[in-house]
Amino acid sequence: MQVNVSARHGHLDDATQTVLQEKAESLLRYFDRLTSIAVTVDLHRDHAGKGKVEIIAKAEHKHEFVATEIDGDIPAAFNLAADKIKQQIKHYKERLQDHRRDPSHNDLGSK
């Protein structure tokens, strides 16, 4: 699994980059089929002095989870975006489980 942390319109210090990398890798606990995670921090001044964090997590079978958050604290913005990703993963996993369920087993009493 590949994790890529990058910055636009500025530079992230090594400590922040390491923290974001570790937090991004922790998303694997929620879904082990992730193939890559791209974290982009936009430090452009249009965001009222706040940083914008975008996370794109790619999974098997060409499925993508995308979340964006803006906050004055970059790690806090990452946490908010990661929560959105976790929610998307949860919904995706529920959909997978519902899809795999055999509808004929639900009609046990109808025969």
Side-chain angles (χ1 to χ4, degrees):
M1 207 260 320
Q2 177 182 351
V3 176
N4 184 17
V5 178
S6 61
R8 264 189 229 142
H9 304 109
H11 178 72
L12 288 175
D13 58 49
D14 290 340
T16 303
Q17 208 160 359
T18 302
V19 167
L20 295 180
Q21 176 107 14
E22 290 170 358
K23 287 184 177 199
E25 288 171 356
S26 73
L27 289 173
L28 272 175
R29 282 187 272 153
Y30 300 96
F31 195 57
D32 60 355
R33 294 185 190 169
L34 295 177
T35 56
S36 71
I37 299 173
V39 179
T40 305
V41 180
D42 192 345
L43 302 168
H44 198 268
R45 293 182 189 155
D46 285 352
H47 308 300
K50 298 180 178 182
K52 177 180 173 185
V53 174
E54 179 183 57
I55 304 172
I56 300 174
K58 294 184 180 183
E60 293 176 348
H61 308 296
K62 298 184 180 181
H63 195 85
E64 280 189 350
F65 306 101
V66 181
T68 305
E69 273 298 329
I70 297 174
D71 197 298
D73 183 33
I74 299 296
F78 179 89
N79 290 339
L80 292 169
D83 287 343
K84 289 181 178 181
I85 294 281
K86 291 172 196 171
Q87 195 65 29
Q88 291 175 32
I89 288 172
K90 180 180 168 191
H91 287 293
Y92 180 70
K93 286 169 79 172
E94 286 173 358
R95 238 182 31 225
L96 281 179
Q97 290 171 346
D98 289 344
H99 179 71
R100 289 184 184 152
R101 213 168 268 139
D102 186 1
S104 64
H105 287 93
N106 293 338
D107 301 326
L108 293 176
S110 64
K111 290 186 180 178

